[in-house]
Amino acid sequence: MGSLYKYYKPLTSICFSPPPTKSYLLHSIKIKTLFSPTKKTRLHRFFTSLTTSSQPSIKTIGGDAPAASPSSELWLYNTMSRKKELFKPKVEGKVGMYVCGVTAYDLSHIGHARVYVTFDVLLRYLKHLGYDVRYVRNFTDVDDKIIARANELGEDPICLSKRYCEEFLHDMVYLHCLPPSVEPRVSDHMPQIIDMIEQILDNGYAYRIDGDVYFSVDKLPEYGRLSGRKLEDNRAGERVAVDSRKKNPADFALWKSAKEGEPFWDSPWGPGRPGWHIECSAMSAAYLGHSFDIHGGGMDLVFPHHENEIAQSCAACRDSNISYWVHNGFVTIDSEKMSKSLGNFFTIRQAIDLYHPLALRLFLLGTHYRSPVNYSDVQLESASERIFYIYQTLHDCENILSQHHVTFEKDAIPPDTINDINKFHDTFVTSMSDDLHTPVLLSALSDPLKIINDMLHTRKGKKQTKRIVSIAALEKMVRNALMVLGLMPPTYSEALQQLREKALRRAKLTEDQILQKIEERTVARKDKDYEKSDAIRKDLAALGIALMDSPDGTNWRPAIPLALQEQQVAST
């Protein structure tokens, strides 16, 4: 990852920027389905379900509209049971999902991106299946790390955290993550937090010491069931504060008494602020109740955060129950977890300064969400090249379809195309319903994209019967799959231009310089100076710029730099 380092100044020099505008593709071709309702084919059902339920409309998240009946099964890996389970919501057609948000004291890194891209795909797929999803994702804006950072910078902790909350929201827009139904902040929920601590105390699961309130893990025999850790394995100093006053070294703070220079709130135990874990128990209960469907976050939260959440919630309410605990794997660098504490992280801003945000998203989805993913230049270059190919193919589709009026009338689509669509549909359903196996789905996109390119550009493909209708049907299928994955850009042409601009930045070239090289190569070829012509092509390829010759002339596109291609080949 040395190449990323060389592009960056210290974090403090990064300027905050306004978020991009959020818009979605308005397709210029109106495609009409005219199948009889009594004779719906698998093709029609696929198109209809994708069109009606996979649109990333903010208004439908957590809305009051009646939910459609789910159209397919979904199996999710439950950390609690350590196995995949068939998803069954507590209320038919509705889903309550809580995902732990960021502790806002710095710009978010690629590990954060993976968490929220993972749960954005889960959100999108649940909506695609017809569920009405209430998605809650919190902000931790009161925390030791925030206070420490604010003291370093001489800022008010709440103001500093508010600023980084806004920057996080910008990052989520860049990555095409849909906004949650609710985004509660700790500082706005002190009454709920204090009420829950009082309930835990009343139920005998906590104790007070000099203005502090601690949870007594000995009072809960089931403590450790999520992480599989035994009580004797939990030692003070391992993300558990060392305090000789505690009854058990593993006991954790529900309320911390005020210290000089720290923000505080009044409470029955004196001025202070909440511990880290209680906030999520209180806010999830406030917006989803004590019993809901999905609680998610990164694997690093299994212990102690989620373990302690379960303990608190059960201590406050005996009926507390969360059906599915879902956790994503780490992002690693050289097989070591990426984290701020280790100092081996890259912020989302640093990555998307050089790579398109949707290339970063594609990279993250290219590995199953529960497996570790290793962050590297070659992986991002590969994702950039892949997504350029996808958008170029669909852009070419758009251009040819704009010249035709296409309708999907009965028997209009050739049988071969219907077979191709049904094959992809089967893979789509099988992979996504099997614990969101996005790498399988991304791989399956290769076949329809290849078929489309053949029909667009090869002599044999151009001669196929009902070619335009086939192209339209395949393009719609790919487009809607990209919607479910959150990989659909506002327009193909805009995304392609942005991908080119990022490639130029990585190559440290301007487009005029490339065009000049193309002209020099054209002259060399006319003069039959093939050695110079090949040298120009190779020099550009080394920088990640591929030249494409055609009867109409020479164009360029982003590509994996030669050295990284060789590295990629060597690693496989």
Side-chain angles (χ1 to χ4, degrees), residues 411-428:
D411 301 325
I413 302 174
D416 286 349
T417 301
I418 290 177
N419 288 337
D420 293 330
I421 290 173
N422 284 335
K423 179 182 176 183
F424 180 81
H425 175 222
D426 289 344
T427 303
F428 176 90

Side-chain angles (χ1 to χ4, degrees), residues 497-546:
Q497 181 58 31
Q498 290 168 348
L499 283 160
R500 289 189 185 95
E501 289 169 358
K502 299 291 185 184
L504 290 172
R505 180 172 295 186
R506 296 195 298 275
K508 297 183 178 179
L509 292 172
T510 65
E511 187 155 25
D512 286 343
Q513 288 174 319
I514 293 179
L515 295 177
Q516 182 180 344
K517 289 292 183 181
I518 289 174
E519 179 60 29
E520 289 176 15
R521 180 172 173 269
T522 300
V523 171
R525 293 175 74 191
K526 285 180 180 177
D527 295 341
K528 297 185 179 181
D529 187 352
Y530 299 117
E531 185 175 346
K532 182 178 180 180
S533 170
D534 290 343
I536 292 172
R537 178 194 284 272
K538 188 172 182 180
D539 288 345
L540 290 174
L543 298 174
I545 305 297

Side-chain angles (χ1 to χ4, degrees), residues 72-78 83-88 122 125-126 129 131 294 324 326 368-370 429-437:
S72 179
E73 292 184 342
L74 170 62
W75 291 78
L76 285 176
Y77 184 86
N78 190 345
K83 64 181 180 181
K84 281 186 277 191
E85 297 178 5
L86 178 63
F87 179 70
K88 292 183 179 179
L122 178 54
Y125 192 59
L126 287 167
L129 294 179
Y131 288 108
I294 299 170
Y324 304 88
V326 181
H368 187 257
Y369 78 89
R370 285 193 289 114
V429 171
T430 301
S431 59
M432 292 300 289
S433 64
D434 181 19
D435 199 29
L436 306 180
H437 236 299

Side-chain angles (χ1 to χ4, degrees), residues 129-392:
L129 294 179
Y131 288 108
D132 176 14
V133 185
R134 184 166 177 79
Y135 175 26
V136 182
R137 184 184 68 205
N138 76 296
F139 280 114
T140 295
D141 62 348
V142 179
D143 182 82
D144 293 342
K145 293 177 180 178
I146 296 169
I147 294 169
R149 184 69 185 276
N151 289 339
E152 284 177 22
L153 300 176
E155 288 190 52
D156 173 72
I158 299 298
C159 291
L160 176 136
S161 185
K162 181 179 179 181
R163 180 156 52 92
Y164 282 113
C165 286
E166 293 303 313
E167 293 306 319
F168 171 82
L169 294 177
H170 295 178
D171 289 338
M172 293 301 99
V173 174
Y174 289 129
L175 292 172
H176 280 211
C177 290
L178 301 178
S181 313
V182 189
E183 293 190 287
R185 303 189 185 200
V186 176
S187 60
D188 296 329
H189 291 78
M190 289 302 161
Q192 293 90 336
I193 291 170
I194 290 170
D195 285 348
M196 180 168 275
I197 295 173
E198 285 188 305
Q199 190 63 53
I200 294 171
L201 278 164
D202 291 345
N203 290 342
Y205 288 92
Y207 55 93
R208 301 166 55 175
I209 303 177
D210 303 327
D212 295 329
V213 181
Y214 283 100
F215 188 91
S216 179
V217 295
D218 290 326
K219 297 284 187 177
L220 200 71
E222 310 90 58
Y223 186 80
R225 57 181 171 155
L226 179 68
S227 62
R229 293 170 67 115
K230 296 178 181 178
L231 195 54
E232 55 267 27
D233 295 334
N234 301 327
R235 299 186 299 276
E238 293 181 353
R239 299 200 66 176
V240 180
V242 178
D243 189 336
S244 60
R245 301 174 303 157
K246 294 193 292 186
K247 294 179 180 179
N248 185 315
D251 292 349
F252 56 91
L254 300 176
W255 188 260
K256 300 180 178 182
S257 58
K259 296 177 179 62
E260 187 176 352
E262 295 184 354
F264 63 87
W265 289 260
D266 290 330
S267 79
W269 321 287
R273 57 189 173 89
W276 175 34
H277 315 294
I278 191 66
E279 63 189 57
C280 286
S281 289
M283 289 188 288
S284 63
Y287 293 99
L288 297 173
H290 287 282
S291 183
F292 56 93
D293 300 298
I294 299 170
H295 196 313
M299 195 175 293
D300 56 325
L301 297 184
V302 174
F303 184 88
H305 188 51
H306 287 167
E307 193 74 75
N308 291 350
E309 273 194 65
I310 293 171
Q312 295 162 158
S313 298
C314 291
C317 176
R318 289 184 179 180
D319 296 329
S320 175
N321 178 264
I322 297 167
S323 301
Y324 304 88
W325 288 88
V326 181
H327 297 91
N328 64 275
F330 296 132
V331 176
T332 62
I333 294 182
D334 298 328
S335 300
E336 187 174 46
K337 175 196 167 188
M338 179 184 291
S339 71
K340 289 180 180 176
S341 60
L342 295 174
N344 65 342
F345 71 96
F346 296 106
T347 67
I348 295 169
R349 298 292 172 85
Q350 287 173 330
I352 66 177
D353 189 42
L354 292 177
Y355 298 94
H356 195 286
L358 292 182
L360 175 58
R361 185 176 176 113
L362 179 70
F363 155 70
L364 294 170
L365 295 179
T367 301
H368 187 257
Y369 78 89
R370 285 193 289 114
S371 300
V373 56
N374 198 51
Y375 184 79
S376 66
D377 283 344
V378 67
Q379 293 273 30
L380 281 177
E381 290 284 359
S382 180
S384 295
E385 184 180 58
R386 182 64 180 168
I387 210 159
F388 187 91
Y389 166 73
I390 292 171
Y391 295 158
Q392 185 65 63

